[in-house]
Amino acid sequence: MELAKTRTVEEIKVVDAGRPDADAVLVERVQAGDMAAFDALTRKYRDRLFGVVYNMLSNREDAMDIVQDSFIKAFKSIKSFRGKSAFYTWLYRIAVNKAITFMKRSRMRRFFSFENADEEMVSSEILDKLVEKCGGARETLLKELREKLNEALQSLSVKHRTVVVLYEIEGMSHAEIAKITGTSEATVRTRLHYAKLQLQSMLKDYTS
């Protein structure tokens, strides 16, 4: 353990990059006052965190501000982090809560943005049905389906929108989402089920 404490951040990145306790090593160094270790954590999770928040807000400037605020809060609070959950779970929870508060405060009902989505994010089966039913180029139909999906997602509440982003886009498990949102796995499953039913109903012309 003493050896881990004396390693540089660069050595940690090379030796521990694939280890599950790599974050714990960096967190320990941050708690000891090592700013470079926090920079390493920021670089590791900045883009992923931005993706989550951006898909919740659909506004780049707002998402950037919230991500920045989340890292500031994480840094200020990191001495209280005890490792009861994974660091990224703790960090995601900070960002998601900030995004939820922002949406509630400003009463946002914006669309999700799937501008970076590829065909894998939309069911290939649905696309195949559209091609067969309507004809036309696959890319054109994919664009149309994204737009309709955005319209449908607009009607979801903040809490349902959140679990959809974390599960469908980030690929997180029910357990991870439960920790991030401060709910039970059963609640996560219920919200996902409800959201799926709502979306299926609104997209029935495309999925039937």
Side-chain angles (χ1 to χ4, degrees), residues 79-152:
K79 286 185 183 281
S80 66
F81 178 71
R82 295 290 178 263
K84 293 182 179 180
S85 62
F87 172 77
Y88 83 88
T89 300
W90 181 73
L91 181 62
Y92 271 52
R93 185 168 186 174
I94 290 174
V96 166
N97 284 340
K98 280 187 172 293
I100 289 174
T101 298
F102 179 87
M103 285 190 288
K104 289 180 176 179
R105 185 175 65 245
S106 56
R107 298 180 180 180
M108 292 175 64
R109 300 295 295 174
R110 296 179 180 174
F111 292 172
F112 273 80
S113 174
F114 283 87
E115 65 182 29
N116 295 320
D118 54 24
E119 290 189 10
E120 293 180 359
M121 289 185 62
V122 180
S123 171
S124 180
E125 181 181 351
I126 293 176
L127 280 175
D128 289 341
K129 287 182 179 180
L130 280 175
V131 171
E132 181 180 348
K133 179 180 178 180
C134 306
R138 195 177 183 85
E139 269 303 313
T140 300
L141 293 172
L142 176 60
K143 181 180 179 181
E144 180 182 347
L145 185 56
R146 284 178 185 149
E147 292 174 353
K148 294 300 180 182
L149 180 58
N150 281 339
E151 293 176 8

Side-chain angles (χ1 to χ4, degrees), residues 9 26 30 33-41 43:
V9 172
L26 288 171
V30 178
D34 188 343
M35 285 290 294
F38 190 76
D39 288 342
L41 288 169
R43 289 193 297 272

Side-chain angles (χ1 to χ4, degrees), residues 156 160 163-164 190-200:
L156 295 181
H160 291 97
V163 295
V164 168
T190 298
R191 289 178 182 177
L192 282 171
H193 179 67
Y194 173 83
K196 182 177 180 180
L197 290 178
Q198 290 295 102
L199 294 175
Q200 284 179 339

Side-chain angles (χ1 to χ4, degrees), residues 130 133-134 145 199-208:
L130 280 175
K133 179 180 178 180
C134 306
L145 185 56
L199 294 175
Q200 284 179 339
S201 175
M202 287 179 273
L203 296 170
K204 60 184 179 181
D205 290 341
Y206 290 85
T207 58
S208 60

